């Protein structure tokens, strides 16, 4: 009897869904890592250098001490009554843990919470948003989630009812969007960022793609904006953001603002402004625009990816729609409590005058200034390679260099049944142990080739990334020179 489950009987939406940052290249890298462990010295390199995913602590970034002290105390409140605690934990971490535990029913981090998240923590996050933006935030608009990704999935579930429902997404994009649109059966409506102007977002391009989608019978429901950009690393200018808000208002689109890199801005001439702040400063309120903002504890200077904390702030929806959002959230019961606590700490870190403020500031500034230096070093290295151009890394954790590949390399890739940039990235990995993700996994202007490289390997590893990549690129270019 044939097995009841085969590839042919699976949900076709699952088969369509792809997620490049953990794709084929990473599978090969893990196999090579096992090989190095079993037979040291068997490969032309001594370690794998992972530059494929925004996962800071896996590459040696230390957690923020204050955040971890508070988490530890909340998870094991029995130690709060022990006298030794004063010598082990900072006084303000002890105070904050007591404060948080008082907001948790039964003081139990192992219990389910309200489906939107613990009310006291949502109060703290709303106050943090208000302090950041200068405009009021309502704790009832906050939905705490296991990182930003489940929040994105939740909005896709709500907005997509068939393949006739479309979402405008930036190209290049973070593959979460193409994957979740495919899983929920909708249509991705691409708008291309302009690489020549530092990955600029042109309103004329949005209008053109919107009209094109309409002509195909697709109803565009929402616009996704990633700011700072992933994989492209740009930070939007304020006037550009105002034009985007105006476009969504005129076209009746939900604005889905992915703002998880809001703390990662590396150039003095750019600042992060939330889309909520921009829309409120334009005089638009709840009744004018539907806006969902995503934030995560995985990025920034905290990099707490494994704790799966995040939230979405949902504004501008009718009470009937809000009811449905709450229903979808409650199907998952609640997000994990450690992530909820961390989200509240990220939006309310130690302030001037707090006992931990100086050490917290030193840790935060140390991480962010090091990331800025790493971004600059890699950007310069890419721009020094023959046939490679790389825009400035203004923010986020990535560079997305453009590689002009010789025709010979493109033909060799076709013979190997691979996209040319995937062919390049795989050759790079096999020769050097450096793991980057081909641009084809993020989509790109047809006929152009890129790869995404994180700036996350520890600073002392960056010279090795640069030298290995430079050496490989020279030999690859010479091998395939037309």
């Amino acid at each position: 009897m044939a097995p009841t489950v085969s590839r042919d009987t699976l949900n076709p939406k699952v088969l369509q869904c792809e997620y490049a940052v953990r794709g084929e290249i990473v599978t090969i890298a893990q196999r090579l890592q096992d090989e190095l462990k079993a037979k040291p010295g068997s490969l032309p390199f001594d370690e794998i250098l992972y530059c494929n995913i925004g996962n800071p602590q896996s590459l040696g970034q230390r957690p923020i001490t204050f955040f971890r002290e508070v988490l530890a105390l909340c998870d094991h409140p029995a130690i709060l009554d022990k006298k030794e605690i004063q010598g082990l934990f900072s006084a303000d971490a002890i105070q904050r843990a007591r404060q948080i535990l008082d907001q948790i029913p039964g003081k139990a981090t192992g219990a389910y919470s309200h489906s939107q998240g613990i009310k006291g923590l949502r109060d703290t996050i709303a106050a943090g948003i208000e302090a950041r933006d200068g405009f009021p935030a309502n704790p009832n608009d906050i939905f705490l989630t296991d990182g930003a990704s489940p929040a994105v999935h939740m909005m896709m579930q709500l907005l997509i009812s068939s393949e006739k429902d479309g979402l405008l997404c930036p190209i290049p994009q973070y593959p979460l969007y193409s994957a979740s649109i495919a899983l929920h059966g909708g249509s991705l409506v691409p708008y291309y960022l302009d690489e020549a102007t530092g990955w600029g977002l042109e309103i004329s391009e949005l209008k053109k793609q919107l009209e094109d989608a309409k002509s195909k019978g697709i109803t565009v429901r929402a616009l996704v904006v990633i700011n700072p950009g992933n994989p492209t690393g740009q930070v939007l200018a304020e006037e550009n953001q105002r034009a985007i808000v105006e476009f969504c208002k005129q076209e009746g689109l939900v604005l889905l603002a992915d703002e998880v890199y809001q703390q990662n801005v590396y150039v003095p001439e750019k600042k992060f402004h939330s889309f909520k702040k921009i829309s409120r400063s334009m005089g638009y309120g709840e009744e004018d625009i539907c806006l969902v903002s995503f934030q995560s504890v995985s990025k920034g200077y905290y990099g707490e990816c494994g704790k799966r904390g995040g939230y979405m702030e949902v504004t501008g929806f009718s009470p009937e729609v809000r009811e449905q959002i709450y229903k979808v959230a409650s199907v998952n019961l609640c997000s994990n409590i450690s992530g909820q606590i961390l989200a509240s700490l990220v939006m309310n870190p130690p302030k001037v005058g707090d006992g931990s403020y100086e050490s917290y500031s030193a840790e935060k500034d140390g991480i962010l200034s090091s990331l800025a230096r790493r971004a600059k070093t890699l950007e310069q290295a890419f721009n020094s390679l023959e046939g490679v151009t790389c825009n400035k890394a203004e923010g986020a954790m990535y560079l997305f260099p453009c590689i002009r590949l010789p025709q010979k390399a493109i033909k060799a890739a076709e013979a190997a049944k691979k996209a040319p940039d995937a062919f390049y990235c795989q050759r790079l990995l096999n020769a050097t142990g450096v793991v980057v993700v081909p641009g084809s996994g993020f989509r790109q202007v047809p006929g152009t080739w890129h790869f995404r490289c994180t700036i996350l390997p520890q600073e002392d590893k960056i010279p090795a990334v640069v030298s290995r990549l430079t050496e490989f690129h020279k030999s690859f270019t010479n091998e395939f020179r037309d």
Side-chain angles (χ1 to χ4, degrees):
M1 186 178 151
T4 51
V5 179
S6 70
R7 198 174 190 279
D8 297 338
T9 62
L10 291 176
N11 180 345
K13 292 171 189 162
V14 173
L15 300 179
Q16 272 173 7
C17 156
E18 289 179 2
Y19 189 64
V21 295
R22 292 201 180 213
E24 184 192 14
I25 294 274
V26 185
T27 308
I28 297 166
Q30 285 161 346
R31 197 187 68 230
L32 292 173
Q33 190 164 346
D34 292 342
E35 212 173 300
L36 274 177
K37 207 171 170 185
K39 293 186 228 160
S42 60
L43 296 171
F45 44 85
D46 54 359
E47 67 173 330
I48 303 285
L49 293 169
Y50 285 98
C51 302
N52 63 298
I53 194 167
N55 193 11
Q57 292 187 25
S58 74
L59 297 172
Q61 183 175 305
R62 312 272 310 188
I64 298 294
T65 306
F66 178 80
F67 294 174
R68 283 301 183 90
E69 285 190 348
V70 174
L71 268 188
L73 293 164
C74 287
D75 270 338
H76 194 24
I79 60 174
L80 280 166
D81 300 324
K82 303 222 181 301
K83 58 177 185 299
E84 300 90 332
I85 206 76
Q86 309 299 336
L88 294 171
F89 292 83
S90 56
D92 52 338
I94 294 169
Q95 186 190 354
R96 184 74 71 92
R98 289 190 191 278
Q99 230 172 13
I100 288 170
L101 286 166
D102 283 344
Q103 295 163 346
I104 301 176
K107 301 188 179 189
T109 59
Y112 291 134
S113 75
H114 185 282
S115 291
Q116 271 183 252
I118 293 158
K119 173 67 168 63
L121 301 181
R122 285 186 283 126
D123 290 339
T124 301
I125 289 166
I129 293 169
E130 201 165 313
R132 181 194 69 196
D133 293 348
F135 291 96
N138 181 346
N140 294 327
D141 292 341
I142 309 287
F143 288 76
L144 284 154
T145 51
D146 288 331
S149 303
V152 169
H153 276 290
M154 212 184 291
M155 291 316 300
M156 300 291 174
Q157 266 177 313
L158 289 149
L159 294 170
I160 296 170
S161 54
S162 77
E163 70 281 356
K164 291 292 180 198
D165 288 323
L167 279 88
L168 274 160
C169 282
I171 301 297
Q173 51 98 38
Y174 173 46
L176 164 69
Y177 292 97
S178 51
S180 55
I181 291 169
L183 276 175
H184 298 295
S187 292
L188 186 148
V189 179
Y191 66 89
Y192 289 93
L193 300 174
D194 183 3
E195 188 165 8
T197 59
W199 301 113
L201 194 168
E202 303 295 333
I203 300 299
S204 56
E205 168 70 1
L206 291 179
K207 287 180 174 161
K208 182 177 135 228
Q209 299 296 352
L210 181 66
E211 290 314 311
D212 186 47
K214 281 181 185 169
S215 73
K216 294 172 183 163
I218 293 169
T219 304
V220 177
R221 300 279 179 202
L223 167 68
V224 173
V225 182
I226 308 173
N227 181 46
N230 175 8
T232 41
Q234 84 287 19
V235 179
L236 292 178
E238 215 173 322
E239 65 196 91
N240 201 184
Q241 289 186 266
R242 281 197 286 272
I244 293 163
V245 168
E246 195 57 52
F247 173 77
C248 289
K249 164 106 175 69
Q250 298 305 330
E251 301 295 344
L253 301 178
V254 177
L255 176 50
L256 298 175
D258 181 333
E259 299 177 334
V260 304
Y261 296 100
Q262 58 191 260
Q263 293 280 353
N264 300 99
V265 178
Y266 309 123
V267 289
E269 67 272 18
K270 289 285 181 87
K271 295 264 180 296
F272 167 78
H273 300 286
S274 76
F275 271 99
K276 171 136 172 279
K277 174 185 175 179
I278 296 290
S279 63
R280 297 295 179 263
S281 67
M282 290 169 74
Y284 292 142
E286 287 274 344
E287 60 294 337
D288 298 305
I289 185 167
C290 293
L291 171 62
V292 185
S293 313
F294 304 104
Q295 167 63 317
S296 167
V297 307
S298 303
K299 309 304 176 188
Y301 55 88
Y302 14 90
E304 293 280 12
C305 303
K307 296 295 181 190
R308 308 311 299 129
Y311 67 81
M312 60 179 181
E313 184 186 15
V314 177
T315 58
F317 293 87
S318 69
E320 297 77 31
V321 172
R322 287 291 297 267
E323 205 176 299
Q324 299 307 310
I325 299 174
Y326 179 74
K327 180 173 76 181
V328 172
S330 54
V331 170
N332 292 323
L333 291 169
C334 70
S335 61
N336 81 85
I337 306 300
S338 292
Q340 291 191 32
I341 292 169
L342 264 172
S344 79
L345 295 171
V346 159
M347 295 309 285
N348 182 27
K351 306 276 190 294
V352 178
D354 292 348
S356 293
Y357 177 74
E358 280 184 25
S359 59
Y360 155 77
S361 277
E363 288 176 3
K364 173 187 171 180
D365 296 345
I367 290 166
L368 290 174
S369 58
S370 172
L371 286 171
R373 288 192 298 273
R374 289 178 244 175
K376 193 83 197 138
T377 302
L378 285 165
E379 177 197 312
Q380 286 169 341
F382 292 142
N383 281 317
S384 73
L385 301 177
E386 183 186 346
V388 177
T389 51
C390 184
N391 279 327
K392 199 183 238 188
E394 297 177 335
M397 295 176 169
Y398 317 100
L399 291 152
F400 200 62
C402 179
I403 38 175
R404 283 180 293 290
L405 294 168
Q407 273 315 111
K408 264 191 200 166
I410 291 171
K411 286 199 167 62
E414 280 166 8
K417 295 188 168 48
K418 289 200 180 302
D421 48 11
F423 177 74
Y424 177 93
C425 293
Q426 199 166 322
R427 290 279 299 253
L428 169 69
L429 170 59
N430 287 327
T432 68
V434 174
V435 192
V436 296
V437 187
S440 40
F442 299 87
R443 306 195 182 192
Q444 53 202 336
V445 170
T448 67
W449 309 108
H450 299 78
F451 61 84
R452 187 185 82 162
C453 179
T454 73
I455 59 171
L456 293 174
Q458 287 299 290
E459 209 162 346
D460 61 355
K461 300 275 190 205
I462 296 290
V465 174
V466 170
S467 62
R468 290 186 198 187
L469 226 152
T470 305
E471 203 176 308
F472 165 79
H473 186 79
K474 278 180 188 157
S475 72
F476 182 93
T477 306
N478 288 333
E479 182 184 345
F480 291 102
R481 201 177 289 285
D482 292 325

